[in-house]
Amino acid sequence: MNTLIWFVILYWVISVGIGLYAARYVNNSKDYAVAGRSLPMYVVTATVFATWFGSETVLGISSTFVKEGLQGVVADPFGSSLCLIFVGLFFARPLYRMNLLTIGDYYRNKFGRTVEVMVTLCIVVSYLGWVAAQIKALGLVFNVVSGGYISMDIGMMIGAGSVLIYTLMGGMWSVAITDFLQMIIIVIGMLYIGWEVSGMVGGAGVVIEHAANAGKLKFWPSPTPKEALWFFAAWITMMLGSIPQQDVFQRVASSKNEKIAGNASVLGGVLYFCFAFIPMFLAYSATLIDPAMVDRLIDKDSQLILPTLIMTKVPMLAQVMFFGALLSAIKSCASATLLAPSVTFSENILKAMLPKQSDKQFLLMMRGVVLVFTAIVTLFAMNTGSSIYKMVENAYKVTLVAAFVPLAFGLYWKRATTQGALASIFLGIGSWVVLEYVAPEGLWPPQLVGVLLSMAGMLVGSLVPQFGRLSVAR
């Protein structure tokens, strides 16, 4: 136990130091927000992969798979990996050519200030759950490796504070460089621990056969309207709702050219999909290695199954490799998701309120917003009882119903107008909120109704006669 704690401390100090070293490349707001649009293919691919391979992948997806099987993880990794592939194929290149600082700038240029503000607020709010999930996972790791000596709340504060340090100073440069190194640790660590656990159970085939016999590999839903609708809604929540997000856009915009922007997103999505199955394999192996432990934790806190297995059943080197990979996954995701909403809020909300500030003052403002946002999400993480997987999945519902349709139609439908975008946002959010309140578990999933009415609002609002200045092209 002492060896593992000291490893965690040493790893933490080194990674924070690397992040602070990367801050030397930040000379202006563009460096801070999008790394000066200069990152090569291998770095962009690494940061795409590492940003998405977070706590929900290692702890959330794995525990959900043990309880619900493949049907329970349709949103992530199936939906999330397709999101990255779709971004690379259809969105990265046209957005890169626009030379924007944030995704919110696209909505302003295409539809005007009102749409920019509304979508930006939705994007920022959506990050609360995602970032809080990473902070909560950091608290869990510190609690587990310390044998309970460090409480969850104290662990969350330590984790959030340390990630804040280098994100605050280095912005996208620190995120990119630490992500590249952390991707290497994630890949090596996950492959090694997978090999170690596979040897304990008699090979991967034994685990796969056991999971198949238990019905865990059943993917498609039962042929009933409600099952099919909820399955489809879960799939598109992250597949489409993640596309209009600042963290995804930052990786596109940070690339050296548009070819890298597209290819790195596709490759990152493929890598993420492949490696996301390793934590599922590890967690399900626990049902063969220590079924009593799984029975004890499955309903109490299934997120503890995998770390408990590692702490009690594998040698010290495997523990070090696992928690090194886990910490890398959480830190890379946490730093990116702290930076993304902070930059968006600064650029698309606060900047217009303070139009005469210099670039140096704007950079200082962005750092101030990072600090405030970190404090908010840490408090949110300490006071929510939701699972890591659900926190991440729910985060994308608001952007699915409010931001995806204006982005996609704005890029690929020439008749899309500001009036259509406003109708899309109001109908999407309004219908989703109402159904979440009156029929959260009805036949129709609230977010599916929201995105369908969002599309209807865009079509009708753009085709009917335009009113006043809403018809002015932007």
Side-chain angles (χ1 to χ4, degrees):
M1 180 66 72
N2 290 333
T3 302
L4 186 58
I5 291 176
W6 283 112
F7 163 76
V8 170
I9 293 173
L10 177 63
Y11 170 78
W12 210 255
V13 171
I14 292 174
S15 60
V16 170
I18 292 172
L20 288 174
Y21 175 80
R24 64 196 290 265
Y25 296 107
V26 177
N27 298 308
N28 52 54
S29 59
K30 191 172 183 178
D31 289 337
Y32 191 80
V34 292
R37 291 169 65 89
S38 60
L39 299 181
M41 175 74 179
Y42 64 93
V43 175
V44 180
T45 301
T47 194
V48 168
F49 170 83
T51 297
W52 282 68
F53 201 98
S55 63
E56 72 283 359
T57 311
V58 181
L59 302 176
I61 292 176
S62 62
S63 61
T64 303
F65 174 75
V66 172
K67 294 178 70 174
E68 305 176 28
L70 284 181
Q71 285 188 357
V73 295
V74 60
D76 193 6
F78 291 93
S80 54
S81 55
L82 278 174
C83 162
L84 295 174
I85 293 171
F86 285 170
V87 167
L89 293 177
F90 303 111
F91 294 90
R93 288 173 174 81
L95 287 174
Y96 186 88
R97 296 185 201 115
M98 296 179 186
N99 194 22
L100 308 172
L101 192 67
T102 69
I103 189 69
D105 290 345
Y106 163 80
Y107 292 96
R108 181 186 65 240
N109 294 347
K110 181 66 179 180
F111 300 116
R113 173 66 177 167
T114 302
V115 173
E116 172 196 14
V117 171
M118 294 176 67
V119 172
T120 297
L121 291 175
C122 290
I123 290 173
V124 171
V125 168
S126 74
Y127 276 97
L128 280 175
W130 194 7
V131 186
Q134 314 312 315
I135 302 301
K136 191 171 184 177
L138 287 172
L140 186 149
V141 171
F142 280 109
N143 180 258
V144 169
V145 299
S146 67
Y149 181 78
I150 299 176
S151 68
M152 283 282 291
D153 286 352
I154 297 299
M156 283 189 266
M157 288 189 285
I158 294 173
S162 53
V163 173
L164 169 67
I165 292 173
Y166 69 81
T167 306
L168 186 71
M169 299 306 298
M172 190 60 194
W173 268 114
S174 289
V175 170
I177 292 177
T178 54
D179 277 0
F180 175 69
L181 297 175
Q182 286 161 355
M183 177 188 171
I184 296 173
I185 296 172
I186 291 170
V187 170
I188 295 175
M190 284 292 131
L191 289 175
Y192 176 79
I193 195 66
W195 174 79
E196 186 76 32
V197 171
S198 177
M200 295 172 64
V201 296
V206 174
V207 178
I208 295 171
E209 183 180 359
H210 190 280
N213 292 335
K216 299 299 182 181
L217 301 187
K218 180 184 177 183
F219 180 68
W220 298 107
S222 302
T224 64
K226 184 173 182 179
E227 289 288 330
L229 287 171
W230 279 87
F231 179 86
F232 180 69
W235 199 331
I236 67 168
T237 295
M238 292 189 70
M239 182 174 65
L240 303 183
S242 303
I243 291 175
Q245 287 283 15
Q246 176 63 15
D247 63 283
V248 176
F249 173 81
Q250 276 183 307
R251 276 120 199 90
V252 169
S254 299
S255 304
K256 187 180 295 185
N257 56 57
E258 67 176 71
K259 183 179 179 180
I260 290 175
N263 293 343
S265 184
V266 172
L267 181 56
V270 172
L271 288 173
Y272 174 75
F273 181 77
C274 295
F275 277 88
F277 283 91
I278 297 180
M280 286 190 270
F281 167 78
L282 296 175
Y284 194 80
S285 296
T287 63
L288 283 72
I289 298 171
D290 193 349
M293 179 269 289
V294 174
D295 291 339
R296 186 177 72 253
L297 293 176
I298 191 73
D299 293 319
K300 181 182 178 182
D301 190 351
S302 59
Q303 295 168 152
L304 289 173
I305 291 175
L306 181 51
T308 302
L309 172 71
I310 301 302
M311 291 293 294
T312 58
K313 298 297 181 180
V314 303
M316 179 56 66
L317 177 59
Q319 292 180 23
V320 169
M321 295 296 287
F322 173 79
F323 282 102
L326 177 57
L327 286 171
S328 295
I330 298 171
K331 285 175 74 280
S332 60
C333 192
S335 59
T337 50
L338 282 176
L339 180 66
S342 303
V343 170
T344 304
F345 189 77
S346 301
E347 165 73 9
N348 302 111
I349 302 295
L350 296 181
K351 189 175 183 180
M353 301 177 183
L354 302 167
K356 295 183 179 181
Q357 62 184 331
S358 64
D359 186 73
K360 185 177 181 180
Q361 291 171 323
F362 180 53
L363 176 58
L364 180 62
M365 183 176 70
M366 282 195 288
R367 285 175 166 152
V369 174
V370 171
L371 177 63
V372 173
F373 190 75
T374 304
I376 292 173
V377 295
T378 303
L379 289 173
F380 180 72
M382 293 169 65
N383 291 280
T384 182
S386 300
S387 71
I388 292 171
Y389 187 85
K390 286 298 180 184
M391 289 170 71
V392 173
E393 182 182 1
N394 291 336
Y396 298 108
K397 291 181 180 179
V398 63
T399 45
L400 173 67
V401 301
F404 172 72
V405 170
L407 173 62
F409 277 68
L411 284 175
Y412 288 103
W413 191 41
K414 294 182 179 180
R415 301 186 65 179
T417 66
T418 299
Q419 181 172 283
L422 289 171
S424 174
I425 294 169
F426 280 116
L427 280 176
I429 293 179
S431 59
W432 170 61
V433 170
V434 169
L435 279 180
E436 285 284 1
Y437 180 73
V438 300
E441 298 181 1
L443 173 63
W444 284 87
Q447 72 269 31
L448 180 56
V449 174
V451 73
L452 290 176
L453 289 183
S454 177
M455 293 175 63
M458 172 59 78
L459 292 170
V460 175
S462 296
L463 294 176
V464 300
Q466 307 296 295
F467 295 94
R469 296 184 63 185
L470 292 181
S471 61
V472 179
R474 290 174 171 85

